[in-house]
Amino acid sequence: MLRFSSSVSRLILKQYPVRLIHARSRNRCYPDEEDDGDKARKREVNKDGYFQLYKSKGQHLLTNQRILDSIVRKSDIKPTDTVLEIGPGTGNLTLKLLEAANSVVAFEIDKRMVEVLHKRVAERGVDDRLTVVCEDALKAEFPEFDLVVANIPYGISSPLVAKLVYGERRFRSATLLLQKEFARRLLAKPGDSEFNRLAVNVSLVADVEFVMDVSKREFVPCPKVDSSVVIIRPKAEVPDVNLDEWCAFTKACFGKKNKTLGATFKQKKKVVELLALSKLTELNAETEYYIGSNHVDDEEKSDEEEECSSACSEMGGASSFKEKLMGVLKSADFENKRPSKLSNDELLHLLALLNQAGIYFRDRSKNTSVVIESFE
Ligand code: SAH
């Protein structure tokens, strides 16, 4: 275990009565709880008055006051605003947010952080304007808020951005401190080497602005990666497309983003999969129609579904379906194009053509929604 005695570390320690140490990486997947060994170590550490930080929870605290100030300034917070903060940690950013906003709602997974945060905020006499929810931000339901400002745990960047931009809560902007490489992928344009499904899905519904890079040296403990601040602003108007269908479509296209669409959709596995999904979608549409006209009951519906899956497993119609698929790609000159070079307008156009031809991507048998999915 390492003890941090840098000047930055001392600066935080002066602010509240805990000492920070950092747990070694144990190659565990986020967001697993500590193992028993961890718990024992933590008890030991607590007895001695240390505060242990976990890499597995993305616990890297931003301590540079100038950078914290400029994040708040760039966020353009109004005195009437409610700010949502994800992963407040010991509250370095939270205290600044409380100076600018009417209130802050913060989601923090670590109880020890919550305690320190409450203590610091109470010392300043601003605790009545802070609500801390000790829950996993990915699983929690967010209350209403005006904007997001957060130095988030980097391990949850992709699902968190998906949850925010495709979620039901409307908000003005999200100022996020992210791992630099992730920020670059978020900002990438068609043709850039970093351009992938993340940028495609986010740019459909939001604009992303680069604000500044932040060196890893500004964090305690110092992480391996540099960071960047970006602001995500939801668009006032988004294209008229089913978002679940769109996300399933981009997933199919960007599996191998540099492969031509012709090569991607020619694969037997893909053809059979799309045939099954398309049949299910067709069937649902018919069933909805019949239910609307009181023509079909549940038993008949499940019989029909069984028929469909056995037909698909026999690969019935697979070759004509493949021809249809290739025909659509050729008709609009998409066969030799690579998704990594296509604009959202081109991708939307292709999806509309495919849907018109009865080719669908979304798995309607699963009730999952994009908001809990990751984009990468
Ligand atoms: N914003 C603070 C701390 C950043 S460290 C600062 O800049 O100093 C990231 C914080 O996110 C940690 O406190 C960690 O415990 C918390 N965290 C990790 N996973 C989380 C999750 N799924 N939901 C909410 N908080 C989480």
Side-chain angles (χ1 to χ4, degrees):
M1 275 183 257
L2 286 172
R3 216 177 271 190
F4 286 88
S5 56
S6 68
S7 57
V8 201
S9 208
R10 277 197 298 274
L11 185 76
I12 322 174
L13 303 183
K14 262 203 323 208
Q15 294 171 351
Y16 49 86
V18 289
R19 282 184 282 172
L20 301 172
I21 57 172
H22 193 256
R24 279 169 308 198
S25 168
R26 289 173 190 91
N27 294 330
R28 272 180 290 105
C29 288
Y30 187 87
D32 286 350
E33 284 298 323
E34 308 89 89
D35 57 27
D36 287 347
D38 274 345
K39 280 185 189 147
R41 270 187 291 274
K42 196 161 81 186
R43 274 197 299 275
E44 234 172 78
V45 159
N46 282 348
K47 235 179 9 200
D48 294 345
Y50 283 89
F51 194 105
Q52 189 168 343
L53 294 172
Y54 293 104
K55 270 190 196 171
S56 62
K57 289 192 173 77
Q59 294 180 338
H60 297 278
L61 311 179
L62 178 61
T63 52
N64 184 316
Q65 300 298 307
R66 193 177 42 78
I67 294 172
L68 288 163
D69 282 333
S70 83
I71 290 175
V72 174
R73 209 171 38 249
K74 289 280 183 184
S75 301
D76 201 14
I77 302 169
K78 297 186 175 58
T80 50
D81 279 339
T82 296
V83 177
L84 174 70
E85 188 185 5
I86 313 296
T90 52
N92 296 333
L93 181 59
T94 321
L95 291 174
K96 306 259 178 205
L97 293 174
L98 284 164
E99 286 170 15
N102 176 49
S103 58
V104 173
V105 183
F107 284 78
E108 170 57 61
I109 208 167
D110 188 335
K111 274 191 234 137
R112 305 164 313 151
M113 295 285 186
V114 174
E115 267 173 41
V116 175
L117 181 57
H118 276 309
K119 219 181 262 177
R120 285 182 87 186
V121 172
E123 275 165 17
R124 299 265 184 115
V126 287
D127 42 334
D128 56 327
R129 293 191 289 114
L130 173 69
T131 307
V132 189
V133 185
C134 191
E135 272 181 48
D136 182 337
L138 292 182
K139 295 185 186 147
E141 194 178 320
F142 293 148
E144 274 187 32
F145 56 93
D146 296 292
L147 71 165
V148 187
V149 185
N151 165 23
I152 66 168
Y154 294 171
I156 65 168
S157 301
S158 182
L160 183 67
V161 167
K163 178 170 176 162
L164 289 173
V165 299
Y166 280 63
E168 275 164 19
R169 293 272 180 228
R170 295 289 96 220
F171 60 95
R172 210 164 66 230
S173 61
T175 307
L176 300 177
L177 188 57
L178 303 163
Q179 182 175 336
K180 190 173 175 177
E181 290 75 15
F182 183 85
R184 294 291 183 274
R185 291 201 293 281
L186 206 49
L187 289 155
K189 301 279 178 262
D192 293 350
S193 60
E194 298 101 333
F195 185 68
N196 73 3
R197 192 172 162 250
L198 172 74
V200 170
N201 284 350
V202 173
S203 64
L204 184 78
V205 294
D207 296 310
V208 187
E209 182 198 337
F210 170 79
V211 176
M212 63 178 165
D213 286 329
V214 178
S215 161
K216 56 184 158 212
R217 290 189 301 274
E218 310 297 353
F219 296 83
V220 170
C222 180
K224 287 203 180 94
V225 293
D226 286 317
S227 301
S228 302
V229 179
V230 302
I231 303 182
I232 301 174
R233 294 190 181 86
K235 290 181 175 168
E237 282 187 27
V238 299
D240 184 18
V241 61
N242 178 299
L243 294 178
D244 288 325
E245 178 70 13
W246 167 260
C247 284
F249 167 67
T250 58
K251 197 173 192 171
C253 292
F254 280 78
K256 289 248 169 14
K257 65 176 188 168
N258 291 320
K259 227 176 177 175
T260 63
L261 288 165
T264 293
F265 289 111
K266 229 186 296 196
Q267 296 169 84
K268 197 164 156 188
K269 197 171 150 237
K270 201 89 169 185
V271 172
V272 174
E273 193 184 302
L274 282 182
L275 172 60
L277 292 174
S278 302
K279 286 222 172 187
L280 202 58
T281 303
E282 238 169 57
L283 199 69
N284 275 350
E286 278 169 26
T287 311
E288 272 161 31
Y289 170 75
Y290 282 124
I291 285 175
S293 350
N294 277 340
H295 281 165
V296 148
D297 60 24
D298 277 354
E299 246 170 66
E300 282 177 72
K301 182 189 163 195
S302 59
D303 283 351
E304 275 186 73
E305 272 173 14
E306 260 170 42
E307 269 172 36
C308 165
S309 59
S310 65
C312 296
S313 64
E314 283 162 20
M315 285 266 298
S319 64
S320 62
F321 184 80
K322 183 176 167 183
E323 264 172 42
K324 182 160 76 170
L325 193 52
M326 290 304 131
V328 174
L329 291 182
K330 274 186 199 145
S331 71
D333 218 11
F334 279 107
E335 200 192 10
N336 296 317
K337 296 204 168 136
R338 296 167 206 281
S340 56
K341 296 204 161 51
L342 293 179
S343 69
N344 275 356
D345 282 346
E346 287 172 299
L347 288 166
L348 280 165
H349 177 54
L350 174 59
L351 178 59
L353 292 176
L354 290 163
N355 284 174
Q356 274 159 26
I359 299 165
Y360 294 94
F361 293 80
R362 174 180 159 206
D363 188 348
R364 285 161 191 263
S365 65
K366 283 193 200 142
N367 217 7
T368 55
S369 170
V370 285
V371 296
I372 54 153
E373 236 193 50
S374 175
F375 285 160
E376 290 191 304

